[in-house]
Amino acid sequence: MFRNQYDTDVTTWSPAGRLFQVEYAMEAVKQGSAAIGLRSKTHVVLACVNKASSELSSHQKKIFKVDDHIGVAIAGLTADGRVLSRYMRNECINYSYTYESPLPVGRLVCTQRSWKRPYGVGLLIGGLDESGAHLYYNCPSGNYFEYQAFAIGSRSQAAKTYLERKFETFVDSSRENLIKDALFALRETLQGEKLTSSNCTIAVLGIGEAFSTLDQETVQRLINEFEVVGEDPPAEAAAAPDQSDGAEPGPAAAAADDDDQETPAADQGAAPMDI
Amino acid sequence: MLSKLADSTPAMPGLMLASAAGSDSQRTLYPYVTGTSVVGIKYKDGILLAADMGGSYGSTLRYKTVERMKPVGKHSIIGASGELSDFQEIMRYLDELILNDNMWDDGNSLGPKEVLNYLTRVMYNRRNKFNPLWNSLVLGGIKNGKKYLGTVSMIGVHYEDNHVATGFGNHLARPILRDEWHDDMTFEEGVKLLEKCMRVLLYRDRSAVNKLQFHSETLINVNDKLLLLSTAFEWLSKMPKFYTHKQIAKITEEGVTISQPYSLKTFWGFSAFQNPTVGAEGSW
């Protein structure tokens, strides 16, 4: 895209029927560091790459809790992302106050406003409603789409390729496997750089589990598990108490247990990407 | 209103304040046409609500076919006592609420809990503006198998329980329900219990009329299939024996059912009622 006379204003159409300002805003999303979302029938996992601008600074927060049952990961202008998060939190709280009930996530996603400029941030919104877990992508154009899995931000194509291969398994995936897939996909976007718990953030929410961000220890443990191929993952029961809010229900943990006995074999079959 | 005050040029500031009383015509100060008690209970398959069909104009029992219970959305029933025009206003609010909910068309719907809480906010906000909706409401429903029964008053006091009532029902019906209500009553047991309450109210509440309406919200299981609305209606309409002025309405997970109006049987042949003034000649 090159500068042209129709791109100054978001209210100016080009002769080709394009709103260049909106398209430029979508470019801003592509410059941000990667964010990934996946969902099963019962859970949604949000993951993002955290780049600190220097060794001295802390990294920017890119995943926000909007309500117990809704979380959002952003890519692009994080300042705009924070404004939108605050707006969404407000909407959720107002709804809860009036109806004593959680706002269905599908009704939250139509929030873009056309003030002076479009928001330069893409939102991956994971949330629950009556029909289960949902993942939406909200882009600066105001459009939103529902996804089984999606990735946005820089080098997200690598993650998308991985997700496209595996997304059919996500629907019935266990919570643990969903998180592992998220980490796999995240690693793709790093293109060779080592994935550690200090350059990524993972958040989970699900039916019976309030939104929470996994702590660094848990994340590092999970990374270690798949870095060494062939190693049996430790019992799932150890993972459950690590969650800050909503205790993982017993049956779910047991189910995850069963799944994990099988996954080492599956993981070996679908060999980690050797690019 | 304020512009009217500004237009009048008062001789003294005091008059300005006095003329503000003209704005009282914009607020509800007293109720005019009122309905009396509504009684509701949870039973095995859902919720049962009962109310008579009377609209009193002060002490005159003026209107005798007033439907004081209405379905709300797919999952709830509302029953109201108090000012009937305010109930009609509330129904307009609810119709708009449900309409907007349906317009989302996204598989989510407002259940009874959400509706009652919405109404609580409405009632409380009106109370704060000193312009109340002069009603006590009962809201019952069943959603995803979960039963809900609650009530909210004209000042916004709200709570849920296994059995609720408004007005005189609180004093006459609740004690009966406290004694005789139990979990998992059948439909027949529930109706019988409610009829007992309504009979006491008919005897003792001077605003009650002998023309009842029952509403129920329930899950009817017939050969493991949920009975459709129309079938349930027919079955229900065959049910009541005295069949003139009472109405029973039932809401299944599928929808609301309202019976035809019918009357309660009453007995006035108590010996104490013969020659009631024998002990006090001249009284009536």
Side-chain angles (χ1 to χ4, degrees):
Chain A
M1 268 181 272
F2 298 108
R3 279 233 68 195
N4 54 66
Q5 58 188 139
Y6 309 109
D7 70 357
T8 319
D9 227 318
V10 74
T11 52
T12 305
W13 289 95
S14 83
R18 293 160 73 169
L19 285 172
F20 281 105
Q21 279 293 301
V22 173
E23 296 186 23
Y24 297 162
M26 303 212 279
E27 284 298 312
V29 178
K30 297 184 197 160
Q31 304 300 329
S33 52
I36 292 168
L38 313 74
R39 71 152 169 123
S40 70
K41 244 188 310 224
T42 54
H43 287 81
V44 183
V45 175
L46 297 171
C48 68
V49 169
N50 290 125
K51 286 293 170 57
S53 52
S54 82
E55 292 239 341
L56 298 171
S57 75
S58 66
H59 54 73
Q60 282 201 316
K61 190 165 163 195
K62 291 179 13 117
I63 297 188
F64 301 96
K65 171 173 168 173
V66 169
D67 202 341
D68 281 337
H69 68 294
I70 300 182
V72 61
I74 66 176
L77 264 52
T78 36
D80 282 357
R82 262 180 244 125
V83 166
L84 285 173
S85 298
R86 193 187 323 132
Y87 175 81
M88 289 194 286
R89 283 171 179 167
N90 209 41
E91 291 293 291
C92 283
I93 276 187
N94 285 339
Y95 188 93
S96 284
Y97 174 70
T98 308
Y99 300 102
E100 281 246 357
S101 203
L103 173 64
V105 62
R107 300 189 182 186
L108 178 65
V109 290
C110 352
T111 60
Q112 292 281 32
R113 300 269 176 264
S114 54
W115 303 131
K116 296 172 272 257
R117 60 168 180 81
Y119 291 110
V121 66
L123 304 169
L124 278 172
I125 302 168
L128 304 173
D129 68 15
E130 269 181 63
S131 39
H134 297 270
L135 175 70
Y136 293 94
Y137 170 55
N138 224 326
C139 76
S141 63
N143 274 330
Y144 66 95
F145 309 92
E146 185 166 2
Y147 285 96
Q148 191 70 48
F150 201 51
I152 56 177
S154 66
R155 295 196 285 240
S156 57
Q157 188 50 51
K160 270 191 246 179
T161 314
Y162 172 77
L163 294 171
E164 274 165 24
R165 272 183 26 214
K166 292 215 68 194
F167 77 93
E168 267 146 355
T169 66
F170 294 162
V171 177
D172 295 309
S173 201
S174 72
R175 180 183 174 279
E176 284 292 312
N177 286 339
L178 212 59
I179 297 175
K180 291 224 179 100
D181 279 317
L183 286 164
F184 260 101
L186 209 57
R187 204 174 61 158
E188 295 309 297
T189 68
L190 291 171
Q191 302 283 32
E193 222 185 289
K194 195 159 161 43
L195 177 70
T196 69
S197 59
S198 53
N199 59 11
C200 71
T201 309
I202 313 279
V204 193
L205 68 116
I207 296 177
E209 181 185 352
F211 176 92
S212 66
T213 314
L214 302 189
D215 61 89
Q216 282 217 313
E217 242 181 67
T218 317
V219 177
Q220 193 55 55
R221 184 178 51 78
L222 288 163
I223 293 174
N224 295 338
E225 277 166 30
F226 69 72
E227 291 287 347
V228 184
V229 175
E231 181 187 271
D232 276 344
E236 294 322 288
D242 289 331
Q243 304 320 311
S244 27
D245 310 342
E248 178 82 357
D257 231 336
D258 288 340
D259 276 339
D260 256 14
Q261 297 316 310
E262 291 152 11
T263 37
D267 277 345
Q268 284 166 38
M273 284 49 57
D274 286 333
I275 301 170
Chain B
M1 221 168 311
L2 282 174
S3 60
K4 282 193 206 130
L5 293 171
D7 281 340
S8 63
T9 43
M12 289 178 283
L15 271 181
M16 187 76 125
L17 286 170
S19 63
S23 63
D24 272 359
S25 63
Q26 305 286 330
R27 305 189 290 120
T28 302
L29 295 173
Y30 334 95
Y32 284 93
V33 181
T34 56
T36 183
S37 329
V38 179
V39 188
I41 58 172
K42 281 188 191 169
Y43 75 107
K44 180 159 70 80
D45 300 322
I47 312 285
L48 267 174
L49 248 61
D52 69 24
M53 302 189 76
S56 304
Y57 186 60
S59 53
T60 310
L61 302 176
R62 187 160 171 191
Y63 304 103
K64 302 223 192 113
T65 313
V66 178
E67 274 200 32
R68 296 196 291 112
M69 296 185 293
K70 301 273 184 191
V72 175
K74 287 197 295 262
H75 305 285
S76 323
I77 338 168
I78 184 172
S81 67
E83 172 61 54
L84 290 176
S85 62
D86 282 348
F87 176 49
Q88 289 167 357
E89 179 87 348
I90 287 170
M91 284 317 296
R92 281 209 300 279
Y93 286 152
L94 288 176
D95 284 343
E96 196 178 329
L97 180 73
I98 299 296
L99 181 73
N100 287 322
D101 189 41
N102 291 338
M103 285 207 293
W104 281 103
D105 199 20
D106 63 351
N108 294 298
S109 53
L110 294 170
K113 178 163 89 136
E114 288 81 22
V115 174
L116 183 70
N117 277 286
Y118 168 80
L119 286 171
T120 305
R121 290 293 114 233
V122 170
M123 304 301 273
Y124 184 65
N125 275 311
R126 291 288 297 254
R127 164 262 197 205
N128 284 341
K129 296 196 272 203
F130 278 91
N131 184 15
L133 290 160
W134 206 286
N135 296 107
S136 285
L137 307 168
V138 169
L139 202 295
I142 178 167
K143 188 176 172 196
N144 298 331
K146 201 147 175 276
K147 298 176 273 207
Y148 184 90
L149 180 63
T151 179
V152 59
S153 77
M154 70 187 248
I155 54 173
V157 173
H158 64 287
Y159 51 91
E160 316 166 34
D161 207 340
N162 295 320
H163 45 82
V164 295
T166 66
F168 262 91
N170 273 311
H171 301 107
L172 298 172
R174 294 295 298 285
I176 300 176
L177 295 170
R178 278 183 209 121
D179 271 344
E180 300 187 22
W181 182 90
H182 58 87
D183 227 339
D184 286 337
M185 298 176 79
T186 65
F187 176 70
E188 288 75 17
E189 287 176 331
V191 169
K192 219 165 144 208
L193 183 56
L194 277 180
E195 283 187 356
K196 182 172 183 179
C197 296
M198 297 308 285
R199 188 172 292 110
V200 172
L201 285 167
L202 176 65
Y203 283 138
R204 295 296 179 179
D205 178 4
R206 70 103 185 260
S207 338
V209 298
N210 194 2
K211 195 166 169 190
L212 297 200
Q213 204 184 18
F214 272 68
H215 250 94
S216 80
E217 173 100 48
T218 164
L219 194 57
I220 305 182
N221 225 321
V222 172
N223 297 331
D224 280 343
K225 282 200 168 114
L226 294 172
L227 261 187
L228 289 175
L229 172 61
S230 51
T231 328
F233 192 171
E234 262 183 68
W235 177 71
L236 284 169
S237 65
K238 294 188 175 85
M239 243 225 55
K241 288 150 253 175
F242 8 97
Y243 191 63
T244 7
H245 291 298
K246 200 188 279 181
Q247 250 185 346
I248 295 188
K250 208 176 197 181
I251 297 185
T252 67
E253 279 276 14
E254 311 272 298
V256 183
T257 325
I258 310 172
S259 75
Q260 292 301 312
Y262 72 103
S263 304
L264 290 169
K265 267 191 180 161
T266 55
F267 179 70
W268 300 96
F270 294 105
S271 59
F273 292 168
Q274 319 304 328
N275 289 326
T277 59
V278 72
E281 287 296 329
S283 58
W284 66 97

